[in-house]
Amino acid sequence: MKGQEGMEASKKIVVGYAVHDIIGNNEQCLTEYDPEALRRAEDAGLIFVAQYDDGTREVVKAADVRKPDPTVNGIPLATAGYVDERTAATVAVFDALSAIVDPQPATADETGEGTEAVDPVEAFRAALAALKALEAK
């Protein structure tokens, strides 16, 4: 049915934008979403192409470009930085927990001075608090 096709088309989700330079015949992923910069780029002859979750593409005006919030099967995609930050925080929690479960003997540095002892329980609490703080981001 034609009405259903139109309805399906309205559910398409923009997963990204490309900027096409017809003179240089090249295309790049759009990473800057400042409306004024987009307008200037369009005035200079660049073309914006919306890339949808179903693989289709469509030329759009600079005024219609919005920073995408891509999803896969309804689940928002995470950027590499988002994942890296949380992975590092999670590893820090497990490292701190490991120091409680399997404490290592104190060591000395090259000068023979002992390193300052860190309370492993406090280190765990601090690492866990840092991980929990990422939840709000």
Side-chain angles (χ1 to χ4, degrees), residues 2-135:
K2 190 170 185 176
Q4 287 179 336
E5 288 173 5
M7 196 164 131
E8 288 299 316
S10 68
K11 291 183 179 180
K12 294 192 306 187
I13 298 170
V14 175
V15 295
Y17 291 93
V19 181
H20 185 81
D21 176 4
I22 58 173
I23 295 173
N25 194 27
N26 66 46
E27 196 169 273
Q28 301 292 322
C29 290
L30 180 65
T31 58
E32 173 61 49
Y33 295 94
D34 175 55
E36 182 58 26
L38 296 173
R39 185 195 58 75
R40 285 193 313 269
E42 186 174 59
D43 290 347
L46 297 178
I47 297 172
F48 298 98
V49 181
Q51 301 169 331
Y52 294 100
D53 61 340
D54 65 357
T56 59
R57 295 163 45 104
E58 174 184 27
V59 173
V60 296
K61 295 289 186 188
D64 298 328
V65 173
R66 303 284 180 271
K67 188 170 183 178
D69 189 15
T71 61
V72 173
N73 296 328
I75 300 170
L77 298 178
T79 62
Y82 178 94
V83 174
D84 291 346
E85 188 176 32
R86 280 148 182 80
T87 300
T90 302
V91 169
V93 168
F94 280 103
D95 284 346
L97 185 59
S98 174
I100 295 170
V101 174
D102 185 24
Q104 299 298 313
T107 59
D109 63 15
E110 301 84 35
T111 64
E113 296 290 319
T115 57
E116 187 175 322
V118 176
D119 179 10
V121 174
E122 286 306 313
F124 172 74
R125 287 182 181 143
L128 187 57
L131 180 60
K132 286 180 178 181
L134 291 174
E135 182 180 13

